[in-house]
Amino acid sequence: MASNEPGTDAPPPPPDASSQIREAILLGVVGLVAVGGLLWWTAREPEPEASELRGATSAHPAGFTRADFVGDDACADCHPSIAVYHERNGHSRTFRPAADRALAQQLDGREVVDFERPGVTWSFLLEDDRFAVERRQGDRVDRLPIDYAFGSGYHATTFLSVLDDDPRDFTLREHRLTSYADGSVRITPGQGMDEPSPGTDALGRILTGEDAFDCIKCHVTLTSMTDPDTVDVHSMIPTVSCERCHGPGRAHVEAARRGDHPDDLAMPFGPGRYSANDQMLLCGACHRHPSQAPVAALRPGNSELARFQPVGLMQSACYIESNGALSCTTCHDAHDRPSRDASSYTATCLSCHKPSHPSQTPCPVSPSQDCTSCHMPRVDAGQGIRFADHWIRVRDDTEVEPPGDASRPH
Ligand code: HEC
Ligand code: HEC
Ligand code: HEC
Ligand code: HEC
Ligand code: HEC
Ligand code: HEC
Ligand code: HEC
């Protein structure tokens, strides 16, 4: 078995050099040196190097103003099919006013008992386009408005209220109850009595300062027009929009409308102009990057890593030893929901692991079928939410530790 230490071994010849080069050209990563994981490992924050990444790895790119952002609708005019994919992807649904959601209608009138606090019940209500929850304990009733629904609900939706919208004193309440994809309404991760995060009380968790900022930053495109280190709900751009990944679009749209040559239509972050490592930085800014993780957490048994795809993928021999030919978009369309068709992933595995290739050892167990079920199984990363483990490897199932609460993601 190959070493899982990144950057320690010189890469052996790739499985099939010519097909890898073709693939590399398709991916646009040819000519870029594969930087060992070690370089980023030692950096505390992902540090964008390539100039294209300006604006892409941070929620608030330097040198741009709010007016440079034109919004997803403007992109849809000329990229209609990408817009349709993006619209159903979690990225475009991850931060919305709570009352606008069908979920608010579904929960209206629903009563939930507080499993940890006998005698306490919660009920949701939607009145005059305002969504709220009431907590009842004996004669006491607390009514808490719900401003935002966080998370598409593909896994879960957590409710937030803005208690102070002054950017300097921005204060949030993360509600005690979260709606999970299985239809249950349960305690929000990190608020259980066994693992209460700082600020947790009977009504939820109060977030101020950096904590409130952090909660927002990965679910939006821009936290504030005026001060990049604050949240301003009046000038923020919610959800992970086209321009969160590609950078502000005004200049591109104006050039396209003028009919400029396609060569002059480059976006700050566009296909063909970045390496696999750059992509790890882009996606890893939110899906987490190994440079943000304590080294001790990067071990095969840590099931919580399953939630952090770039962290897992970058430990895989596939990533380390394929000279920059493997990135998220080898398996996923960055715009669409992840495919649920296992055979599509098998085809990708086999594009490198060709059973017929003389220099490749085919899988001794299953040379041509069903790769992900054994090498990328779903793992409980906490709260019963199961993620496909992106640390592709030969697994010893006895190694899996049950998820704890120490490295809670949020
Ligand atoms: C008026 C039409 C028009 C609009 C509006 C438009 N585009 Fe484009 N876009 C084009 C054309 C034409 C190209 C070049 C041919 C192609 O790749 O489809 C292009 C190419 C691109 C590329 C690949 C270019 C590169 O190398 O970076 C990206 C990424 C892109 N557009 C994103 C966007 C985003 C994001 C928006 C919204 C902010 C947007 N476009 C709005 C017409 C448009
Ligand atoms: C600004 C932060 C951010 C960036 C950058 C980002 N993501 Fe995400 N991504 C999220 C969030 C938040 C979700 C959860 C959205 C939800 O379902 O509420 C998500 C969800 C996803 C999903 C699941 C979508 C679904 O519909 O189930 C995929 C796949 C994904 N991201 C891939 C990527 C890839 C690949 C990149 C880089 C090209 C990337 N993401 C960049 C924040 C980000
Ligand atoms: C470092 C980036 C980051 C921060 C900070 C962050 N999130 Fe997320 N969040 C993500 C990504 C990436 C996903 C998608 C993968 C996953 O579910 O873990 C996600 C998923 C979610 C989901 C599930 C969405 C779904 O249905 O798939 C919820 C709910 C959520 N986040 C709420 C929060 C809340 C509340 C906070 C603040 C207390 C927060 N997040 C802070 C990056 C972040
Ligand atoms: C999560 C990050 C992310 C978001 C959000 C996103 N893109 Fe992309 N987009 C990418 C990546 C990464 C590529 C390059 C794919 C590759 O290299 O194969 C890309 C490629 C493109 C291209 C080049 C043609 C293609 O299909 O590869 C266009 C055009 C484009 N995006 C437009 C858009 C538009 C329009 C939106 C919003 C509706 C959008 N993107 C949202 C990450 C994103
Ligand atoms: C871009 C090419 C590429 C893709 C795509 C790819 N791999 Fe790999 N993989 C490699 C390389 C290179 C190695 C290291 C040399 C070797 O073991 O063949 C490797 C190693 C492995 C190993 C041995 C791991 C270890 O720690 O020894 C397994 C198992 C594996 N891959 C499974 C998969 C599966 C399953 C998929 C699809 C989900 C996949 N690979 C996709 C290139 C790739
Ligand atoms: C070798 C193929 C492969 C690569 C590379 C890959 N993924 Fe995945 N990804 C998968 C598979 C398989 C699934 C599970 C699909 C399903 O639901 O059946 C998945 C699912 C996901 C999900 C949905 C959460 C879940 O577990 O259901 C997210 C988010 C995601 N991937 C993000 C990423 C990001 C970010 C990258 C780059 C760091 C990446 N993926 C690279 C194969 C891959
Ligand atoms: C039923 C579970 C299962 C399936 C399905 C499966 N594998 Fe494996 N794979 C294993 C096990 C177990 C090993 C370790 C075998 C050993 O060491 O004797 C392994 C080993 C490997 C290795 C390392 C080979 C070596 O000698 O270095 C690669 C590469 C690999 N698998 C790729 C794949 C690919 C690609 C697929 C899909 C075509 C796949 N596997 C499907 C269980 C599976």
Side-chain angles (χ1 to χ4, degrees):
M1 209 169 119
S3 159
N4 278 322
E5 288 296 318
T8 49
D9 297 323
D16 173 340
S18 67
S19 92
Q20 280 223 331
I21 288 166
R22 273 198 305 279
E23 196 165 333
I25 290 167
L26 280 174
L27 287 166
V29 295
V30 94
L32 285 155
V33 188
V35 184
L38 223 48
L39 189 69
W40 302 116
W41 197 287
T42 49
R44 283 316 307 154
E45 292 288 318
E47 284 291 338
E49 287 253 307
S51 58
E52 303 88 85
L53 286 181
R54 215 164 28 97
T57 57
S58 125
H60 27 68
F64 290 101
T65 68
R66 179 75 168 77
D68 293 310
F69 291 84
V70 294
D72 289 355
D73 289 348
C75 314
D77 285 350
C78 301
H79 302 288
S81 56
I82 292 178
V84 167
Y85 291 148
H86 176 69
E87 165 53 36
R88 68 185 184 205
N89 181 289
H91 286 144
S92 71
R93 302 169 162 245
T94 201
F95 188 113
R96 291 179 286 179
D100 294 358
R101 296 271 309 265
L103 180 63
Q105 280 160 25
Q106 283 161 26
L107 290 179
D108 185 19
R110 173 133 163 212
E111 197 172 286
V112 180
V113 295
D114 195 313
F115 295 109
E116 285 185 347
R117 294 172 194 265
V120 173
T121 56
W122 297 84
S123 44
F124 291 94
L125 33 122
L126 181 64
E127 268 172 14
D128 305 329
D129 293 336
R130 291 186 183 185
F131 192 41
V133 66
E134 277 181 358
R135 179 187 190 271
R136 267 168 225 279
Q137 181 167 28
D139 292 339
R140 182 177 168 154
V141 180
D142 292 292
R143 188 184 177 120
L144 311 170
I146 301 176
D147 297 321
Y148 295 106
F150 235 62
S152 63
Y154 289 144
H155 288 108
T157 299
T158 294
F159 302 113
L160 297 180
S161 303
V162 177
L163 303 183
D164 188 339
D165 69 358
D166 182 336
R168 284 161 305 179
D169 299 311
F170 184 65
T171 307
L172 281 176
R173 182 197 312 282
E174 182 194 63
H175 282 254
R176 179 161 167 82
L177 298 182
T178 282
S179 164
Y180 291 86
D182 62 7
S184 65
V185 176
R186 289 180 276 132
I187 293 164
T188 296
Q191 293 197 23
M193 277 175 174
D194 54 334
E195 47 155 4
S197 304
T200 301
D201 62 22
L203 302 178
R205 181 159 72 106
I206 305 292
L207 298 165
T208 57
E210 210 177 313
D211 294 334
F213 176 81
D214 278 353
C215 184
I216 304 287
K217 69 178 183 191
C218 300
H219 290 261
V220 302
T221 295
L222 196 68
T223 56
S224 158
M225 173 179 76
T226 42
D227 178 353
D229 295 326
T230 62
V231 178
D232 173 12
V233 287
H234 306 291
S235 67
M236 70 153 60
I237 304 178
T239 82
V240 185
S241 71
C242 313
E243 291 167 293
R244 178 58 180 78
C245 291
H246 291 293
R250 175 167 302 281
H252 170 79
V253 171
E254 286 172 356
R257 294 229 166 97
R258 281 194 304 267
D260 286 6
H261 191 274
D263 290 352
D264 299 326
L265 293 181
M267 295 283 295
F269 184 94
R273 278 177 280 110
Y274 62 88
S275 67
N277 265 307
D278 290 340
Q279 196 184 91
M280 294 306 124
L281 288 169
L282 170 70
C283 312
C286 304
H287 289 271
R288 315 305 202 277
H289 191 270
S291 62
Q292 301 161 320
V295 176
L298 301 175
R299 53 179 196 281
N302 183 359
S303 54
E304 267 150 3
L305 293 185
R307 194 164 184 174
F308 308 142
Q309 301 86 5
V311 178
L313 189 69
M314 289 176 75
Q315 316 308 312
S316 305
C318 307
Y319 182 83
I320 298 162
E321 298 187 32
S322 64
N323 295 319
L326 185 61
S327 66
C328 311
T329 47
T330 315
C331 293
H332 299 296
D333 179 337
H335 307 122
D336 203 354
R337 301 218 59 202
S339 168
R340 304 302 301 243
D341 173 11
S343 66
S344 73
Y345 297 104
T346 293
T348 306
C349 309
L350 291 174
S351 71
C352 291
H353 296 283
K354 291 188 179 55
S356 58
H357 197 276
S359 73
Q360 266 284 304
T361 332
C363 179
V365 178
S366 171
S368 63
Q369 278 175 353
D370 209 18
C371 315
T372 49
S373 64
C374 295
H375 294 294
M376 292 186 76
R378 282 195 178 272
V379 167
D380 184 348
Q383 294 295 316
I385 306 183
R386 296 168 66 79
F387 287 90
D389 190 343
H390 282 60
W391 188 337
I392 305 170
R393 62 182 189 272
V394 175
R395 305 177 71 92
D396 170 2
D397 277 343
T398 58
E399 85 196 4
V400 176
E401 300 162 14
D405 51 40
S407 49
R408 242 186 98 245
H410 296 144

